[in-house]
Amino acid sequence: MTSRPSSTRSAAVIGAGQTGVTAALGLLDAGFDVTLHSDRDQRALRDDVPATGTALEFGETQQAESALGLDTYTGRAPRHTGLSVRIAGPEREELIQFDGHFQGFAGVAVDTRLKADERLTRFLERGGRFVVGQVTPESLDAIAAAADLTLVATGRAGLSELFLIDPVRSVYSAPQRSLLTVTVTGLPHDDSVFAHRSRAGGGHSGFSIFADQGEGWWGPYLHKDAGPSWAFLGWARPGSEWESRFAAADSAAGAHRIVQDLYRDYIDWDLPEVLATRVIEEDPHSWLKGAVRPVVRAGVGHTASGHVVASLGDTSAAYDPIAGQGAQSGLVQAQRLVAAAAVHDGPFDAEWISARYQEFLAARGDAANEVTRLFLGDPEFAEIGNLFFAAAAVDARFASALVGLLHRPQPLLDIDSPAAASAYITEITGVDAHSLLERFSPAGRFERSGYSAALARA
């Protein structure tokens, strides 16, 4: 273990997931005396829990990790270079298809257990303290009393109740989707897979939308044990048949069967690739089901004795993962907070924490909330979404701009009406939006996969 010089400032971080350990390591490197608290030991964090989603990250988030001197995994994980979209109507009409190329950035989806484990090892090697034990509101009071800065990154439950829900930014009273994810092997990442969707093949993730059922996504992934692999993430609308199917999942193998049957019954254009996939036997936690109520909470909370604590990551804002904003926003928030704390020479009081949180919301959080609502098909965004998806089907430039909102969602903050959406389409394409949209026609029938490896096995 490498010892560090003593610091005059101390920090406590509650929660050793990806965002919490990233912040802890960043503060340690900034000269703080840091204690990281977790309810599980390091081995359990790596091997006894599922990954919390696919944690797909794009350029802005990778830049935040680089600013902290951390591995972005772009040299180790299979890369996402675009997003291929198919949209079907309530009668299964095959309506919209487009293939958006990421411009100036690539995405990587990395097992959060792998990231947290490697960063925790680095944290310990550099002299950070790691305390294993359940942190309750009562014990947090003593922890916060002893630290100059306390960050709470325990996710959506437990200590999150210390932070009031923002009623303006939290527009949903319940989850908007039921979720199912499973990580698999059996597919390469070259242009032989999903070739019917794009010339990029396995370089592009595939997204299919059914108006009355939900959404399914396949993308390249880096699994903690199996290495380069693939992940499925599905969203089921409340009351849909998909929701009943997802609820029946009880194991990795069971989740995998449900996904294969789902594609056989609904999304047959991608079926051969899905049939070729295999469960990761050595990881019984390679799947997860659940639901997320999108909620934005306050940045500042107080313990029983009035000590100030700051929310971080999913404790600050829980996003539905449909637009991939959760992990991205948490890491951007952590980097911004560490950078501000490193140069601050006053108390980390409620005023300072609140100001930093408001800056984060303005720089990323609010836009992340908007792009999530757009991809959820929120009624307030329905007309905007219809224009955007139709324009993407007509013009490749707009298709790239639309999928680029997953990387940098800030342009959505200025788009609050169909007129503003049309102006944005014109700005991106150089073509009058009305004229461009007149060229739209339904897809008719999507091209089906001819992936031979699965056809031979089926």
Side-chain angles (χ1 to χ4, degrees):
M1 179 182 296
T2 302
S3 63
R4 300 183 62 85
S6 60
S7 171
T8 58
R9 300 190 296 175
S10 62
V13 179
I14 319 301
Q18 174 184 235
T19 303
V21 74
T22 296
L25 183 54
L27 289 168
L28 189 69
D29 287 344
F32 283 74
D33 181 3
V34 184
T35 303
L36 177 63
H37 296 262
S38 170
D39 60 353
R40 296 176 183 267
D41 63 25
Q42 185 170 7
R43 188 206 62 78
L45 287 168
R46 190 186 191 281
D47 295 329
D48 291 350
V49 294
T52 52
T54 57
L56 179 56
E57 298 173 14
F58 301 109
E60 282 197 344
T61 308
Q62 293 158 18
Q63 291 166 9
E65 290 183 309
S66 292
L68 290 169
L70 300 176
D71 185 358
T72 64
Y73 293 83
T74 53
R76 299 162 59 184
R79 295 163 65 111
H80 295 245
T81 56
L83 179 65
S84 174
V85 178
R86 302 291 182 268
I87 303 178
E91 301 300 323
R92 304 197 190 185
E93 319 95 290
E94 296 173 16
L95 299 175
I96 291 177
Q97 59 183 358
F98 62 86
D99 192 52
H101 294 259
F102 299 146
Q103 301 294 326
F105 65 94
V108 290
V110 180
D111 195 325
T112 53
R113 299 168 296 182
L114 176 65
K115 270 193 175 178
D117 181 59
E118 292 187 351
R119 291 177 185 177
L120 179 53
T121 295
R122 186 171 174 179
F123 175 78
L124 293 172
E125 290 173 347
R126 295 190 177 192
R129 283 190 297 275
F130 183 52
V131 176
V132 178
Q134 184 74 36
V135 176
T136 65
E138 293 74 26
S139 59
L140 178 64
D141 194 49
I143 291 169
D148 295 307
L149 174 63
T150 302
L151 308 180
V152 177
T154 54
R156 297 181 292 272
L159 297 176
S160 66
E161 298 300 322
L162 292 172
F163 304 92
L164 296 176
I165 291 176
D166 184 328
V168 175
R169 290 182 169 91
S170 304
V171 299
Y172 302 116
S173 60
Q176 299 301 289
R177 298 288 191 275
S178 294
L179 308 173
L180 178 67
T181 182
V182 62
T183 307
V184 296
T185 59
L187 283 179
H189 297 93
D190 58 27
D191 59 7
S192 69
V193 298
F194 297 114
H196 60 296
R197 280 180 169 263
S198 166
R199 287 182 297 175
H204 285 194
S205 48
F207 191 49
S208 296
I209 301 172
F210 273 76
D212 61 333
Q213 293 291 335
E215 300 83 14
W217 174 90
W218 282 96
Y221 187 74
L222 183 67
H223 182 269
K224 68 181 179 71
D225 301 316
S229 50
W230 284 81
F232 166 82
L233 183 54
W235 298 263
R237 289 181 175 272
S240 66
E241 184 192 356
W242 286 19
E243 183 179 53
S244 298
R245 294 191 185 205
F246 287 6
D250 58 2
S251 65
H256 186 234
R257 284 192 299 272
I258 288 168
V259 173
Q260 289 188 320
D261 288 343
L262 188 78
Y263 275 71
R264 184 179 287 109
D265 296 340
Y266 282 90
I267 316 175
D268 65 321
W269 50 85
D270 292 338
L271 181 60
E273 278 83 353
V274 177
L275 291 176
T277 59
R278 300 190 300 271
V279 170
I280 300 174
E281 299 288 353
E282 62 267 37
D283 180 14
H285 303 291
S286 59
W287 73 287
L288 183 66
K289 68 178 180 180
V292 177
R293 177 195 170 192
V295 168
V296 178
R297 294 183 178 271
V300 180
H302 295 84
T303 68
S305 298
H307 301 294
V308 176
V309 294
S311 64
L312 181 66
D314 286 350
T315 305
S316 293
Y319 302 94
D320 187 290
I322 197 164
Q325 297 304 302
Q328 294 197 90
S329 293
L331 290 168
V332 169
Q333 183 189 13
Q335 185 272 323
R336 292 177 64 92
L337 192 59
V338 167
V343 298
H344 181 62
D345 60 4
F348 298 103
D349 54 17
E351 182 179 2
W352 185 87
I353 293 171
S354 180
R356 302 294 78 74
Y357 187 55
Q358 293 305 313
E359 290 168 356
F360 160 71
L361 290 174
R364 177 83 193 192
D366 286 342
N369 207 16
E370 299 285 273
V371 76
T372 299
R373 294 179 66 191
L374 174 70
F375 276 82
L376 279 172
D378 186 295
E380 288 189 22
F381 287 80
E383 290 186 76
I384 294 171
N386 289 340
L387 292 172
F388 278 4
F389 284 109
V394 174
D395 193 291
R397 292 165 297 186
F398 195 77
S400 291
L402 178 56
V403 300
L405 294 174
L406 304 177
H407 148 67
R408 188 176 183 277
Q410 287 86 339
L412 271 180
L413 293 177
D414 297 322
I415 301 171
D416 57 1
S417 67
S422 294
Y424 185 61
I425 293 169
T426 300
E427 175 190 344
I428 295 298
T429 64
V431 179
D432 175 73
H434 179 73
S435 299
L436 185 146
L437 291 167
E438 282 186 332
R439 291 157 38 196
F440 170 77
S441 61
R445 180 173 171 80
F446 304 143
E447 184 177 349
R448 266 54 182 172
S449 172
Y451 184 56
S452 58
L455 291 176
R457 188 183 303 173

